Amino acid sequence: MQNRRLDDLFLRYCEKKITDDEREELMAMLLSDDNREQINGLIDQFIRNDGAHHALSDETADDILSSIFSATGMRGTKQELGVNESELGGGEQERDANEPGSSDEMRSRPMWLFRLAAASVVLFLVYGSYRWFNKSKPAPQVAVMHSVYGEDAAAGGNRASLTLADGRTYDLNTITERNLLVQPGTTIDKLKGEVIYGKNSVNDGAVAYNVLKTPLGGQYKIVLPDGSRAWLNAGSSLKYPTAFKGNWREVEMTGEVYFEIEPDKARPFLVRVADKDRSGKDMEITVLGTHFNISSYGDEPDMQTTLLEGSVRVKKDKVTKVLTPGQQARVATDEPVRDIAVKTVDTESVVAWKEGRFEFNGNIREIMRQISRWYDLDVKYEGDVERKSFAGTISRKNNVSEVLKMLEMTGGIQFRIDDRKITVKNTD
């Protein structure tokens, strides 16, 4: 039976006349599998009646929608998604690990609130996504969306520099094997964006260190001499020996790095994270074999260590905490460390960058810092934007204009790009 309320809310959304309460009601309807056929029909009707020319390309729409439905779980029924009655009542995305009520369910994805908020971007995509909903029909030819923000910027990619022990620095996009003859056992895969240290890496004499560094708008992967792997996000660095010696495997990092460590009980792996406040000591993460992500950007208020598998010990000054999978440790960088806050988080959202996605779930300033680093753009603000929060997911392959469009469609905010600077304006 046709749900007239859904028809009315859909129309009000498209006309931008919907209230906050009505928007929440509509998003709940979008998550109901019972409404799938009616929603598809409404989108079909909207596409046929819409004369707009700023549609997304089929490829872009498919890419973004796949990311959205993957993150929100909207492909399945509520039972398949594991949604229970307590989730439908809402709740915090993060909960202290020791707080009553914390359970494995809090770690599972997707979370109800994140699904509900992320669903709000779906209607934005109707301008070019009809083929995704009904692939049996021929896809209409649509033009790639042009930026309405002045300028535009392409997504970042595999870019990094490598500094050898003798101080010589090479751009990995232009480096040749001849450049690495002085360091046997090191190879560069430009296509994959990967530097690999094999068993024949330099290991004679004194310990030699290399530094892999990604610029803003860059990312890169490294296979360390022990087989451990690390992925560097934009604006990050990793200092490491060309061969691990002694009783420890030790590296130093800045920015954001995801690690997958090869187990070695005889030689624990130690990550030193430089504190942006040079008067403070480095943060130390000690592991045997595990998967974890560390974020320590200088423009963020804290350093975060998120554990996906195994166990790690986080130490800052005289405070130490041991994490279990699904937990995140946060260390403030602008005040003395009296404690290390530990919370249960959505780990897949934390490492979405490694899988090629933005997963936004926070205030606009936090989101814009991510965008700024990946597109290498400055950001300024006009008006009070402190209370602007968003949630959603989109591919990091898209131009910045498409990411901004997704954020702008949630209402209350506008963007402009001039001279590689994004202006964020409050419109409420």
Side-chain angles (χ1 to χ4, degrees):
M1 180 179 295
Q2 190 81 357
N3 187 330
R4 294 184 179 277
R5 179 61 173 168
L6 176 55
D7 287 348
D8 179 59
L9 291 176
F10 184 91
L11 178 61
R12 291 178 62 79
Y13 186 98
C14 294
E15 294 178 345
K16 298 183 180 181
K17 296 179 180 178
I18 198 166
T19 66
D20 290 342
D21 289 342
E22 289 172 336
R23 183 193 300 269
E24 184 173 343
E25 182 182 355
L26 174 61
M27 295 313 141
M29 289 182 176
L30 287 176
L31 292 176
S32 173
D33 201 56
D34 294 338
N35 295 326
R36 179 63 55 83
E37 184 176 351
Q38 184 175 345
I39 291 169
N40 289 353
L42 288 169
I43 292 175
D44 183 12
Q45 181 180 0
F46 183 83
I47 292 292
R48 293 176 186 276
N49 295 338
D50 182 43
H53 299 288
H54 52 282
L56 295 170
S57 66
D58 281 347
E59 180 180 359
T60 299
D62 284 356
D63 188 23
I64 301 174
L65 272 174
S66 295
S67 295
I68 288 169
F69 287 119
S70 175
T72 62
M74 290 177 65
R75 286 194 181 99
T77 64
K78 291 178 181 177
Q79 289 73 24
E80 291 170 335
L81 295 172
V83 177
N84 54 43
E85 294 302 320
S86 61
E87 281 187 298
L88 295 178
E92 296 179 351
Q93 180 178 349
E94 300 178 351
R95 186 185 298 267
D96 190 273
N98 299 318
E99 183 180 338
S102 177
S103 67
D104 290 339
E105 291 181 5
M106 293 299 296
R107 301 176 191 166
S108 64
R109 295 182 78 252
M111 297 182 181
W112 166 254
L113 288 181
F114 183 77
R115 284 199 305 273
L116 182 62
S120 65
V121 300
V122 174
L123 291 183
F124 150 61
L125 294 167
V126 298
Y127 287 98
S129 61
Y130 179 70
R131 187 169 65 89
W132 195 93
F133 288 94
N134 193 347
K135 292 183 179 291
S136 62
K137 296 182 180 181
Q141 296 298 315
V142 293
V144 176
M145 183 177 71
H146 297 289
S147 173
V148 295
Y149 303 106
E151 300 175 7
D152 204 350
N158 294 327
R159 292 191 282 273
S161 64
L162 178 64
T163 301
L164 304 183
D166 60 8
R168 284 181 288 181
T169 298
Y170 298 98
D171 182 343
L172 296 188
N173 286 332
T174 61
I175 196 171
T176 66
E177 290 298 326
R178 181 176 296 277
N179 298 136
L180 295 175
L181 290 178
V182 296
Q183 187 167 284
T186 305
T187 58
I188 308 296
D189 188 328
K190 298 178 186 178
L191 184 62
K192 293 182 179 180
E194 183 177 58
V195 56
I196 305 164
Y197 290 79
K199 295 181 179 179
N200 295 326
S201 297
V202 177
N203 56 13
D204 296 329
V207 176
Y209 286 89
N210 286 182
V211 178
L212 181 65
K213 186 175 183 179
T214 54
L216 296 177
Q219 63 182 14
Y220 228 77
K221 177 184 175 183
I222 179 173
V223 179
L224 294 165
D226 66 337
S228 296
R229 295 174 291 174
W231 287 257
L232 280 68
N233 202 351
S236 304
S237 69
L238 186 67
K239 181 179 179 181
Y240 49 90
T242 56
F244 289 112
K245 298 182 178 182
N247 298 326
W248 291 86
R249 296 172 289 166
E250 185 174 329
V251 300
E252 299 177 15
M253 63 153 286
T254 64
E256 184 168 23
V257 182
Y258 172 80
F259 292 91
E260 292 185 354
I261 304 303
E262 283 295 306
D264 187 344
K265 293 183 178 180
R267 296 188 301 170
F269 198 97
L270 177 66
V271 182
R272 294 191 183 277
V273 187
D275 193 332
K276 68 178 182 180
D277 179 3
R278 292 302 177 181
S279 63
K281 294 183 179 180
D282 295 343
M283 183 171 69
E284 298 179 359
I285 293 88
T286 306
V287 303
L288 291 175
T290 191
H291 297 182
F292 59 101
N293 189 84
I294 302 174
S295 178
S296 63
Y297 287 112
D299 58 354
E300 296 289 352
D302 51 33
M303 296 184 286
Q304 302 174 4
T305 302
T306 308
L307 181 64
L308 284 77
E309 294 182 16
S311 178
V312 299
R313 182 176 70 240
V314 179
K315 180 181 179 182
K316 184 68 167 67
D317 298 338
K318 297 181 179 180
V319 183
T320 300
K321 286 290 179 71
V322 176
L323 302 185
T324 57
Q327 291 185 330
Q328 180 182 85
R330 296 190 177 189
V331 178
T333 57
D334 57 355
E335 58 187 37
V337 177
R338 297 185 178 88
D339 194 14
I340 296 177
V342 177
K343 291 181 178 290
T344 298
V345 298
D346 178 8
T347 57
E348 290 189 30
S349 178
V350 172
V351 299
W353 67 268
K354 172 181 167 289
E355 305 302 327
R357 304 190 312 275
F358 287 113
E359 287 206 7
F360 300 135
N361 191 18
N363 65 65
I364 189 62
R365 288 184 181 270
E366 175 185 333
I367 290 170
M368 293 310 298
R369 287 196 292 269
Q370 296 181 52
I371 292 174
S372 173
R373 287 191 287 263
W374 185 235
Y375 294 96
D376 191 13
L377 298 172
D378 293 328
V379 179
K380 70 175 184 178
Y381 300 89
E382 292 184 1
D384 182 12
V385 299
E386 299 303 324
R387 291 182 294 177
K388 298 294 183 181
S389 296
F390 304 88
T393 181
I394 190 169
S395 171
R396 296 204 332 165
K397 298 177 184 178
N398 293 306
N399 284 1
V400 69
S401 61
E402 297 176 44
V403 179
L404 299 180
K405 184 64 176 179
M406 183 193 78
L407 296 173
E408 191 173 277
M409 286 297 292
T410 61
I413 202 162
Q414 287 183 348
F415 301 94
R416 179 78 186 174
I417 308 174
D418 292 295
D419 195 25
R420 299 199 63 79
K421 179 179 290 185
I422 303 173
T423 299
V424 184
K425 182 178 180 180
N426 180 16
T427 59
D428 286 340

